[in-house]
Every structure is written in structure tokens, then in C-alpha cells.
Amino acid sequence: MTTAAESRPVEDLVVGVLGGTGPQGRGLAVRLAAVGQRVLLGSRDADRAREVAEEVAGRAATVSGGEVSVQGGSNLDVSGAADLVIVAVPYAGHAATLAELAAPLAGKVVVDCVVPMGFDELGAYVLDVEEGSVTQQAAALLPDSDVVGAFHHLSARLLEDLSQPTIDGDVMVVGDVRAATDTVQALAGRLPGMRGIYAGRLRNARQVEALTINLVSVNRRYKAHAGIRVTDV
Amino acid sequence: MTTAAESRPVEDLVVGVLGGTGPQGRGLAVRLAAVGQRVLLGSRDADRAREVAEEVAGRAATVSGGEVSVQGGSNLDVSGAADLVIVAVPYAGHAATLAELAAPLAGKVVVDCVVPMGFDELGAYVLDVEEGSVTQQAAALLPDSDVVGAFHHLSARLLEDLSQPTIDGDVMVVGDVRAATDTVQALAGRLPGMRGIYAGRLRNARQVEALTINLVSVNRRYKAHAGIRVTDV
């Protein structure tokens, strides 16, 4: 299978963001919109998605040199209409959300950025995922999509802060389909200052997701919004 | 408990390296010796350790501005004599090696850099460790030591290549005892170009260890010797 997203220039793709009203989804949406990517922002609540889409479009327009396009809708409608879909829902709703979207997401590149993170009195820790990782859970639920893991290590705070034109960090991209990881690397590379770096197969997604939890510890210790750079690449 | 290593300046510590005849141990030994750290290089085979120690001392001396001290011995002798001990044995021998060294390692900082990595026809993958991570396995076997995880992401090739005076990369340090992680961060900071970054508790060691496996994928794809930098710190 070659999906539509894999055979077209990445700047022409309509990017859907499921859970686009949350901090990570909204941050990715505003940064992608600011570089001219057409964005469809999805939520369980379509009205809420439309409200946030309008707000995101307004903010993206303040820094964009060109046209900005952000529209809101239900996760279902966005899944059907987008060429490539980023999953940014809370982990608690991840499996249930995707289970209902297998048909509209078939034949598409689906990029999962969800982190299986719990908190207790000692801080953040990794939740066990039966499939091994959240990305592998998505792949199991979406057998007809090309599932890729990426965008875990980007601080939502930095994504949302458009006063900083660039973000210092790389996007580790994991997946089993080369055309899909290539597409997602190209999409990541559109974010100013960032690169998409291929970082292995789906079976090695768990530690990429979970490293986000270590970055939470870094943030607490150093009062930072930490990300990752891959050296020597 | 405050160990000897935690209460003294890091440059005064005698650093033991178990499995010091392997690539990672040898690479750490030569870099530490080159900055003037006294190093005890351990191996199951004490004669082999002495041979490698002599060779490592010779190479370190070619780039060091000061005195170089590297001596070899059995893992048992090194565990008893060093102030702080780095565990760089192959994963296959990790548990058995440490189980015999709990007494000499008691009251010491023990730094584990072992990666639970397997290879098959698809490349590298993470081996399951019953305790959750190799570092937690060490902590379980060494109840009277302060166990820390660190030094996983340093390419042995770059460590050994003294023609490059600095290495571009950070050392993620995980552990539950602040004095011990502080000491290991300071030790990591002695390696030219590198920083020791606190990256969370022992229960979040697994993904730090396992990310090394993603770096193997990066190395294959990009013909690199990849490491990690933590941004915004």
C-alpha cells in the first residue's frame, strides 16, 4: 500500500489532529498552521473543536507569512477528511477513540504522539501497555493504516509559545513502513528548528514514548522545557 | 548512608570499571584516565585486565596533560578497592557478576551502563528484565550500594577515538539517592564536551537504557555514532 500522504509533497497534505483541543494537539496544530500546513483540528466535541480551531488560526496568523487554514470538527470527520492524522488524545481515551476510527483512517498515515504516563507521590512513571507501546496499540487497532510514532518529546509549552520562532529539538520517528516514516520526518522538518530523525521500528517505540517521562523529571529539576537532540546526525 | 564517593571531590575518587576489557568499559576508562581520574579496570580474567589496563594507560597518556593511572585486576579486587564502580559487563553476565560482588560493593556508588539488547534479523530490540530495568536489577542485587544508571548513550567508538578531544552528548543519570546522582553527574561532567543530566528515578531507568537500541537504528540509517543532547538545560 502507498497511502495518499506518502505519494504527495508533504506541504500539500491536510493534517488532522485528533485530540486537537489538548495542549499537545493544539501546540502541534498552531506550529503546523503557522508554516502553511492545512490543519483539521478534531475533538470528541465538534463545537469545541471549531472554537479552538478559530483561536489557533488567529494565533498562527500572527506569525505566518502566508495563508493559514485551521478548521475544527469531530474526531470522526477529521479522520475521514485529513490525508495524515496525528493522534494526540489523552492515553486514557486512546484505545477507545481509535477503535471507532479504523475505517476512516484506513489507507492513511497515522502518527501517534501519546505518552503512557501516570503520576503518583514520587512523580511521573510509565504505564504498562499490553501491546508494548501506545504506538503498537494504535497499529493493532488500525490494521489498514501506516502507523508511526513521533512528536513525543516536544514541550507543549514551547509549541504554544509563538514568541519563540524556532524550537530546539529533534523528532524521533519510529515505524515499520519506510514511506510513512519518511513522510512524518518531512512533516517534522517543517517545524522551524526541528528535524525528523528515523529512530527504529515499532517494536522499539516504547522507550521513545516513555523517555518523555524522564523529560518531566528533567523539567522539574532544572525548571526547563526539555527536549532531545540526536548528535552526530 | 553517605558513601565515601558522595562525600569527596569527584576528581579524588578511584573509579573501578567492571567489564573494563569490553568496548564500553575500555572507552570510559580511557576517557576518565585521560582527565586524570584514577581508574581500576576489572575483568573476570585479572591477567587480561592488567594487559588492557596497560594499553589504556598508554593511550590516555598520549592526550593527558598530567599523570595517568590505570591498573587492572579481577572484578572482585576492583570492587573492593575502588571508591565508585561502573558496571560495563555484557548483559548476559550482569546478574551473576553482581550477585557475587554485593559485599565488596556495599557502601559504594555503583553506576550501571548495561543495555538489555538483543539482535535478530530485524535488528536490535529490548530484552525484558524481570526487575524492570538492568539498573533496577543491580539495585535488587546490591541492597547496600547506591545504584545509579548512566553512560548508556555514549558510543564506544567515539569514547575510544582520542583523536576527537571532545564528545558531543549528554549523560542521562537516573537514581533514587540524590548524593549518588550528583556524584555521577559530576563524574560525567569531567568527560570533555559532556554533561551529566539528572533524568529521573530508578523506576524510569528502563527507557533510558532501551533508548540505546534506538540509537543503534539511528547509527545504521545515518552511518553515525549517535548520542543524545537534552535541550533547554
Side-chain angles (χ1 to χ4, degrees):
Chain A
M1 169 180 77
T2 299
T3 68
E6 288 157 6
S7 59
R8 284 163 48 197
V10 72
E11 59 269 25
D12 292 348
L13 301 179
V14 176
V15 174
V17 182
L18 308 186
T21 57
Q24 195 75 8
R26 217 169 49 206
L28 287 167
V30 74
R31 289 281 177 176
L32 289 167
V35 296
Q37 204 79 42
R38 280 178 295 164
V39 173
L40 299 180
L41 195 146
S43 171
R44 280 177 305 183
D45 176 344
D47 289 334
R48 172 80 182 132
R50 280 185 278 268
E51 271 175 43
V52 173
E54 194 169 336
E55 178 262 328
V56 164
R59 283 194 293 129
T62 63
V63 297
S64 169
E67 204 175 333
V68 165
S69 169
V70 186
Q71 294 185 304
S74 69
N75 283 332
L76 181 65
D77 289 345
V78 165
S79 296
D83 299 311
L84 175 152
V85 173
I86 297 173
V87 183
V89 301
Y91 175 62
H94 182 264
T97 301
L98 293 188
E100 294 181 351
L101 298 173
L105 291 175
K108 299 188 178 182
V109 174
V110 175
V111 189
D112 208 303
C113 70
V114 174
V115 173
M117 176 155 40
F119 285 95
D120 62 18
E121 69 285 1
L122 295 177
Y125 64 95
V126 188
L127 298 172
D128 271 327
V129 181
E130 193 186 332
E131 294 82 356
S133 66
V134 178
T135 314
Q136 288 165 296
Q137 183 181 81
L141 291 165
L142 307 172
D144 297 322
S145 305
D146 283 355
V147 174
V148 170
F151 299 118
H152 304 93
H153 303 151
L154 308 196
S155 154
R157 191 84 70 86
L158 295 186
L159 285 169
E160 294 251 44
D161 179 7
L162 297 175
S163 73
Q164 299 300 320
T166 65
I167 298 179
D168 183 16
D170 289 329
V171 174
M172 292 183 132
V173 177
V174 293
D176 291 344
V177 178
R178 176 69 184 254
T181 56
D182 282 352
T183 296
V184 177
Q185 285 179 248
L187 185 68
R190 298 208 72 206
L191 299 173
M194 313 211 72
R195 304 179 300 176
I197 305 283
Y198 174 75
R201 292 179 171 273
L202 281 189
R203 67 179 181 172
N204 286 318
R206 183 185 201 271
Q207 56 266 24
V208 173
E209 298 170 1
L211 196 77
T212 313
I213 289 159
N214 299 80
L215 296 180
V216 170
S217 298
V218 172
N219 290 346
R220 288 194 179 189
R221 175 66 62 91
Y222 299 94
K223 315 292 179 213
H225 301 295
I228 289 291
R229 279 274 183 215
V230 180
T231 61
D232 200 40
V233 171
Chain B
M1 170 182 75
T2 299
T3 68
E6 289 158 7
S7 59
R8 283 162 49 197
V10 72
E11 58 269 25
D12 292 348
L13 302 178
V14 175
V15 175
V17 182
L18 309 185
T21 56
Q24 195 75 8
R26 217 168 49 207
L28 287 167
V30 74
R31 289 282 178 177
L32 289 168
V35 296
Q37 203 79 44
R38 279 178 295 163
V39 174
L40 298 180
L41 195 146
S43 171
R44 281 178 304 183
D45 178 345
D47 288 335
R48 171 80 182 133
R50 281 186 278 268
E51 271 175 43
V52 173
E54 193 171 336
E55 178 262 329
V56 164
R59 283 194 293 129
T62 63
V63 298
S64 168
E67 205 176 331
V68 165
S69 169
V70 186
Q71 294 184 304
S74 69
N75 283 331
L76 181 65
D77 289 345
V78 164
S79 297
D83 300 311
L84 176 152
V85 173
I86 298 173
V87 183
V89 301
Y91 174 63
H94 182 264
T97 300
L98 293 188
E100 295 181 350
L101 299 173
L105 292 174
K108 299 187 179 183
V109 175
V110 175
V111 190
D112 207 304
C113 71
V114 175
V115 174
M117 175 156 38
F119 284 94
D120 62 16
E121 69 285 1
L122 295 176
Y125 64 96
V126 189
L127 298 172
D128 272 327
V129 181
E130 194 186 333
E131 294 82 358
S133 65
V134 178
T135 314
Q136 288 166 295
Q137 182 180 81
L141 291 165
L142 306 173
D144 298 321
S145 306
D146 283 355
V147 175
V148 170
F151 298 119
H152 305 92
H153 303 150
L154 307 196
S155 155
R157 193 83 70 87
L158 295 187
L159 285 170
E160 294 251 45
D161 179 8
L162 297 175
S163 73
Q164 299 298 320
T166 65
I167 298 179
D168 183 16
D170 288 330
V171 173
M172 293 183 131
V173 177
V174 294
D176 290 344
V177 178
R178 177 69 184 255
T181 56
D182 282 352
T183 297
V184 176
Q185 285 179 247
L187 185 68
R190 298 207 73 206
L191 299 173
M194 313 210 73
R195 303 179 301 175
I197 305 284
Y198 174 75
R201 292 178 170 274
L202 281 189
R203 66 179 182 174
N204 286 319
R206 184 186 200 272
Q207 55 267 23
V208 173
E209 298 169 0
L211 196 76
T212 314
I213 289 158
N214 299 81
L215 296 180
V216 170
S217 298
V218 171
N219 290 346
R220 287 195 179 188
R221 175 66 61 92
Y222 299 94
K223 316 290 178 215
H225 301 293
I228 289 293
R229 279 275 184 216
V230 180
T231 61
D232 200 41
V233 170

